[in-house]
């Protein structure tokens, strides 16, 4: 069916083109001419069949035979030009297309083919010239708009503007040509003409606010803020909750870091019938930094997040932003609840999950962090911090085996981050210590100090655990001293140092440090009271020792050891 259709079409073309391709002074007789015509048609149709069977080279050879018969055949030149175009031989295609054009200069299809060829050859002059020819052959407003766009594309803005002006004379002021001209004028730096185009649209369509806002935006972009404000305020007079105008005025104040005035206009947006969740998120994201610049701004911003939640309580992004501003205001518990809500609504953003787990630890929701962290690991299987927080949650909820598994797995993904790597080894050391595996605990503490020699927590914990075992006391003393250099006012570290001195039988120094420890601690725990009692006992201050042992017991230490110390007024070593 396809072959027959092609043949029929070209038989029709032959009727129109042969008379133009055969000279009247043809020397052949009528009889011989008919035979030549028949031979031409037969070869031509055979070429079409080969083309239809994707034998392009075979089709070209046959067309060349046709051209040897009638060199000026429009059909043959046009057809071979198309074949070479399909082969991407654009120079040869151009030669034959130009030959066809000489036969029928005003033919739409050959000019269209030439346009395609010139486009491939990137011949801008000929592209525009040919398109103009096509426009003259088959004129329409739509094609003329494309001609203007083509001039713009090839960096001829003034020619493009001229064409749009011609169109405007034909059909009157309209959005398409005015907006196009406005953009072109801006591109060439003619702001006055750009604003005039918008003013024409405003005059023709006075009830359409979008043109007024576009004009105001141009004024803003060119530091004509007062003119922009005048337009926005005029719009608000008739529509007080107009979102674009209120957002634009708020943005002017944002650039001045004036959140209080910006808030006044942002707040109006929430009462608009056209308000939506996208606008709500836009406001919260764009004004977050300014909203937390100070406590006054933060409280106003918090009001915006509450309005956003009232409008859409099912959007996880809004709840996460609410969590972040609460965190900034030190509302740690509320911040965690906000992030928890965000997670429950299906948040899959890494930053949200990461902050959620971190806040869970700060809020001592250790089991929750451990359980939800497992889900986070599935979502982010190569993020070290997820493993770190989840492992710490397991550690603090006394699921030590699970903590070790998570921490060891997470270690594989820590690259070029020695401080984080130190933290992984630190918590692994703590987990193994809790399982009473001193060998692996010591190994991991040592690794933690290799990656961060100034990890004061490890320096303190490792030295303290060594002192409990009366092991490597000289090394423990050095580590404890270093931790106090790093954090000289840390009462817990002072207690550790005092206890190491006790183990080294330096009781007088130990007494000085244990008393310093109690002064520097906001709340003294039962262990430190017991340490103080033991040190005083060794200094033969028995009554004072007894007082501190009793304080230890009153602080919750109900061990058999403390009971015996109080009862027998001695230490059973």
């Amino acid at each position: 069916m396809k072959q027959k259709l092609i043949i029929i079409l070209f038989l029709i073309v032959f009727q129109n083109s042969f008379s133009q391709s055969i000279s009247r002074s043809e020397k052949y007789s009528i009889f011989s001419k008919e035979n030549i015509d028949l031979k031409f048609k037969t070869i031509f149709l055979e070429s079409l069949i080969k083309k239809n069977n994707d034998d392009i080279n075979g089709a070209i050879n046959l067309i060349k035979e046709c051209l040897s018969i009638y060199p000026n055949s429009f059909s043959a030149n046009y057809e071979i030009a198309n074949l070479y175009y399909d082969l991407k031989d654009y120079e040869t295609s151009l030669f034959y297309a130009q030959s066809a054009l000489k036969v029928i200069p005003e033919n739409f299809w050959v000019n269209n083919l030439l346009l395609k060829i010139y486009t491939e050859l990137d011949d801008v002059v000929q592209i525009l010239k040919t398109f103009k020819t096509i426009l003259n052959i088959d004129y329409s407003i739509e094609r003329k708009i494309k001609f203007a766009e083509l001039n713009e594309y090839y960096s001829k803005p003034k020619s493009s503007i001229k064409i749009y002006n011609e169109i405007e004379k034909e059909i009157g002021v309209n959005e398409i040509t005015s907006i196009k001209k406005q953009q072109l004028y801006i591109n060439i730096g003619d702001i006055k003409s750009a604003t005039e185009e918008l003013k024409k649209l405003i005059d023709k369509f006075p009830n359409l606010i979008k043109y007024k806002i576009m004009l105001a935006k141009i004024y803003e972009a060119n530091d004509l803020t007062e003119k922009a404000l005048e337009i926005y305020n005029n719009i608000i007079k008739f529509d007080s909750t107009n979102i674009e105008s209120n957002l634009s005025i708020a943005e002017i104040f944002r650039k001045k870091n004036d959140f209080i005035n910006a808030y006044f206009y942002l707040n109006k947006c929430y009462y608009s019938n056209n308000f939506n969740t996208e606008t709500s998120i836009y406001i919260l994201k764009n004004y977050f930094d300014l909203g937390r610049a100070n406590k006054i701004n933060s409280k106003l911003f918090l009001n915006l997040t509450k309005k956003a939640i009232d409008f859409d309580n099912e959007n996880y992004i809004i709840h996460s932003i609410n969590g972040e501003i609460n965190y900034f205001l030190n509302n740690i518990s509320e911040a965690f609840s906000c992030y928890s809500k965000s997670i429950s609504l299906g948040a899959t953003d890494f930053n949200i999950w990461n902050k959620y787990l971190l806040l869970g630890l700060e809020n001592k929701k250790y089991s929750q962090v451990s359980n939800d962290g497992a889900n986070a690991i599935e979502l982010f299987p190569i993020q070290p911090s997820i493993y770190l927080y989840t492992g710490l949650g397991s550690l603090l909820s006394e699921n030590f085996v699970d903590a070790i598994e998570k921490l060891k797995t997470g270690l594989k993904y820590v690259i070029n981050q020695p401080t984080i790597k130190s933290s992984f080894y630190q918590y692994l050391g703590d987990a193994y210590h809790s399982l009473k595996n001193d060998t692996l605990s010591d190994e991991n503490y040592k690794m933690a100090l290799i990656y961060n020699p100034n990890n004061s927590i490890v320096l303190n914990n490792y030295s303290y655990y060594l002192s409990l075992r009366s092991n490597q006391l000289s090394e423990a003393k050095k580590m404890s001293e270093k931790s106090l250099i790093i954090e000289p006012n840390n009462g817990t570290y002072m207690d550790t140092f005092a206890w190491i001195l006790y183990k080294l039988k330096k009781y007088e120094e130990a007494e000085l440090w244990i008393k310093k420890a109690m002064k520097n601690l906001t709340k003294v725990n039962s262990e430190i009271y017991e340490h103080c009692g033991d040190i005083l006992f060794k200094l033969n201050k028995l009554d004072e020792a007894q007082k501190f042992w009793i304080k230890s017991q009153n602080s919750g230490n109900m061990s058999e050891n403390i009971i015996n110390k109080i009862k027998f007024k001695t230490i059973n070593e």
Side-chain angles (χ1 to χ4, degrees):
M1 181 63 72
K2 186 177 179 183
Q3 290 179 2
K4 289 181 180 178
L5 180 61
I6 293 172
I7 293 168
I8 291 168
L9 286 172
F10 272 93
L11 283 173
I12 294 169
V13 171
F14 290 150
Q15 297 297 322
N16 297 321
S17 63
F18 281 155
S19 60
Q20 300 174 62
S21 61
I22 303 172
S23 169
R24 288 185 179 181
S25 60
E26 178 64 63
K27 65 181 178 179
Y28 300 110
S29 67
I30 294 174
F31 180 77
S32 63
K33 179 179 179 299
E34 288 176 351
N35 286 338
I36 292 169
D37 285 353
L38 180 60
K39 181 180 179 181
F40 179 94
K41 291 178 182 178
T42 301
I43 296 171
F44 194 90
L45 293 175
E46 286 178 6
S47 75
L48 296 180
I49 292 169
K50 284 189 177 292
K51 176 185 176 182
N52 195 52
N53 291 326
D54 296 325
D55 183 1
I56 303 299
N57 289 319
I60 287 173
N61 291 332
L62 290 172
I63 292 291
K64 285 182 177 179
E65 283 189 47
C66 290
L67 287 171
S68 70
I69 299 170
Y70 292 137
N72 295 325
S73 167
F74 173 84
S75 301
N77 279 291
Y78 176 69
E79 182 61 21
I80 198 169
N82 274 295
L83 291 168
Y84 275 113
Y85 181 86
D86 291 341
L87 290 174
K88 299 183 179 180
D89 184 350
Y90 303 121
E91 294 289 350
T92 307
S93 178
L94 176 62
F95 170 79
Y96 286 108
Q98 287 174 333
S99 298
L101 187 69
K102 290 176 183 177
V103 180
I104 312 178
E106 299 299 316
N107 182 272
F108 174 85
W109 296 107
V110 74
N111 275 284
N112 197 57
L113 175 58
L114 280 166
L115 181 63
K116 290 162 60 179
I117 296 168
Y118 289 133
T119 301
E120 294 294 342
L121 296 173
D122 200 26
D123 188 336
V124 176
V125 173
Q126 291 299 329
I127 289 170
L128 296 174
K129 182 180 176 182
T130 305
F131 198 102
K132 190 172 184 179
T133 301
I134 293 171
L135 184 62
N136 291 331
I137 295 170
D138 187 17
Y139 181 83
S140 70
I141 292 295
E142 291 76 14
R143 184 167 278 122
K144 194 160 187 175
I145 289 171
K146 288 182 179 178
F147 188 39
E149 291 172 346
L150 198 62
N151 275 271
E152 180 186 355
Y153 179 79
Y154 286 112
S155 303
K156 296 184 179 296
K158 291 183 179 179
S159 297
S160 183
I161 290 169
K162 182 181 177 182
I163 297 166
Y164 283 126
N165 282 331
E166 291 172 2
I167 295 170
E168 196 171 282
K169 285 180 182 179
E170 289 187 59
I171 64 175
V173 175
N174 64 93
E175 180 177 308
I176 293 174
T177 58
S178 289
I179 296 299
K180 285 285 188 180
K181 284 193 287 178
Q182 172 248 324
Q183 293 168 346
L184 286 163
Y185 280 127
I186 289 174
N187 291 341
I188 62 176
D190 188 349
I191 304 304
K192 183 179 178 182
S193 295
T195 58
E196 290 302 320
E197 289 300 326
L198 288 172
K199 286 176 182 178
K200 285 195 297 186
L201 285 174
I202 292 168
D203 289 340
K204 185 165 183 177
F205 307 102
N207 294 324
L208 287 180
I209 292 175
K210 65 178 181 178
Y211 301 134
K212 297 175 183 178
I213 289 175
M214 288 173 69
L215 180 58
K217 291 292 183 187
I218 291 179
Y219 286 141
E220 270 191 80
N222 290 277
D223 296 324
L224 299 169
T225 306
E226 294 305 316
K227 284 188 174 184
L229 279 171
E230 183 181 350
I231 294 173
Y232 293 136
N233 283 319
N234 283 334
I235 294 170
I236 290 172
K237 282 180 183 178
F238 297 99
D239 181 7
S240 63
T241 61
N242 180 272
I243 290 176
E244 287 185 275
S245 296
N246 280 299
L247 282 179
S248 297
I249 296 175
E251 181 64 13
I252 290 171
F253 284 113
R254 187 183 75 83
K255 289 176 180 177
K256 297 177 181 179
N257 290 322
D258 184 352
F259 185 68
I260 293 175
N261 277 310
Y263 170 81
F264 175 79
Y265 291 97
L266 294 173
N267 191 49
K268 286 185 176 184
C269 296
Y270 287 87
Y271 298 97
S272 171
N273 292 330
N274 297 319
F275 190 76
N276 54 43
T277 300
E278 288 71 25
T279 303
S280 181
I281 293 171
Y282 169 85
I283 290 172
L284 297 181
K285 283 187 173 182
N286 282 274
Y287 287 84
F288 180 77
D289 288 337
L290 188 58
R292 63 176 183 174
N294 54 58
K295 288 293 176 69
I296 295 174
N297 286 10
S298 298
K299 289 178 181 178
L300 292 175
F301 188 84
L302 196 59
N303 287 337
L304 292 179
T305 63
K306 288 176 180 177
K307 287 180 182 292
I309 290 170
D310 288 341
F311 181 81
D312 185 355
N313 190 39
E314 300 300 312
N315 187 279
Y316 76 86
I317 296 174
I318 293 173
H319 284 285
S320 69
I321 295 173
N322 192 30
E324 191 62 23
I325 196 64
N326 273 285
Y327 182 75
F328 174 76
L329 291 168
N330 208 32
N331 301 330
I332 305 301
S333 178
E334 180 63 23
F336 177 69
S337 297
C338 294
Y339 275 101
S340 181
K341 177 70 174 178
S342 182
I343 296 295
S344 71
L345 290 170
T348 55
D349 182 277
F350 167 73
N351 291 323
I352 292 174
W353 273 92
N354 204 50
K355 198 59 171 284
Y356 166 68
L357 296 176
L358 180 59
L359 283 168
L361 294 172
E362 287 192 46
N363 280 276
K364 300 183 180 180
K365 305 287 185 181
Y366 304 133
S367 295
Q368 192 171 338
V369 170
S370 177
N371 293 331
D372 289 342
N375 297 326
I377 286 170
E378 290 184 13
L379 287 170
F380 315 105
I382 60 171
Q383 289 290 349
S385 60
I386 298 294
Y387 288 94
L388 184 66
Y389 298 151
T390 304
L392 184 54
S394 297
L395 174 65
L396 295 173
S397 56
E398 299 185 358
N399 190 350
F400 305 121
V401 174
D402 184 70
I404 290 168
E405 179 191 342
K406 296 292 190 298
L407 293 167
K408 287 176 74 174
T409 304
L411 256 176
K412 300 173 186 176
Y413 304 112
V414 184
I415 300 171
N416 298 327
Q417 294 175 297
T419 303
I420 293 176
K421 207 154 197 170
S422 177
S423 296
F424 271 92
Y425 283 116
Q426 171 189 329
Y427 298 136
L428 278 168
D430 291 344
Y432 281 119
H433 171 76
S434 297
L435 291 173
K436 303 187 186 308
N437 189 331
D438 295 331
T439 301
L440 288 178
S441 176
D442 289 357
E443 284 180 11
N444 281 281
Y445 285 141
K446 287 175 183 176
M447 290 298 295
L449 292 174
I450 288 172
Y451 284 100
N452 182 11
N454 293 320
N455 187 328
S456 61
I457 297 174
V458 174
L459 288 167
N460 176 74
N461 290 357
Y462 186 23
S463 60
Y464 181 63
Y465 296 147
L466 287 174
S467 72
L468 291 179
R469 290 159 22 211
S470 298
N471 191 5
Q472 301 179 54
L473 291 175
S474 178
E475 184 63 27
K477 183 173 179 286
K478 289 179 184 178
M479 287 191 288
S480 182
E481 284 174 329
K482 187 174 182 179
S483 73
L484 283 166
I485 292 171
I486 297 167
E487 293 189 46
N489 298 315
N490 190 311
T492 300
Y493 295 178
M494 292 175 184
D495 169 59
T496 296
F497 189 56
W499 193 245
I500 293 169
L501 291 170
Y502 171 85
K503 288 284 188 169
L504 290 168
K505 303 186 187 310
K506 297 181 179 182
Y507 303 123
E508 290 180 356
E509 287 183 64
E511 181 186 13
L512 290 173
W513 280 98
I514 198 69
K515 288 183 177 179
K516 283 178 70 174
M518 288 188 288
K519 284 180 182 179
N520 278 274
L521 285 167
T522 305
K523 184 179 180 181
V524 180
N525 62 37
S526 61
E527 186 178 42
I528 293 175
Y529 283 135
E530 184 176 4
H531 285 172
C532 186
D534 291 358
I535 292 167
L536 291 169
F537 177 81
K538 290 294 184 180
L539 290 168
N540 208 28
K541 298 179 181 181
L542 304 182
D543 292 338
E544 285 185 67
Q546 185 77 348
K547 288 178 183 178
F548 278 99
W549 287 335
I550 292 170
K551 278 187 177 184
S552 176
Q553 190 178 54
N554 292 338
S555 297
N557 184 357
M558 303 305 294
S559 67
E560 185 179 349
N561 197 25
I562 198 69
I563 291 170
N564 288 333
K565 286 177 183 178
I566 294 169
K567 183 177 180 180
F568 299 111
K569 298 181 180 181
T570 188
I571 297 175
N572 185 17
E573 292 182 318

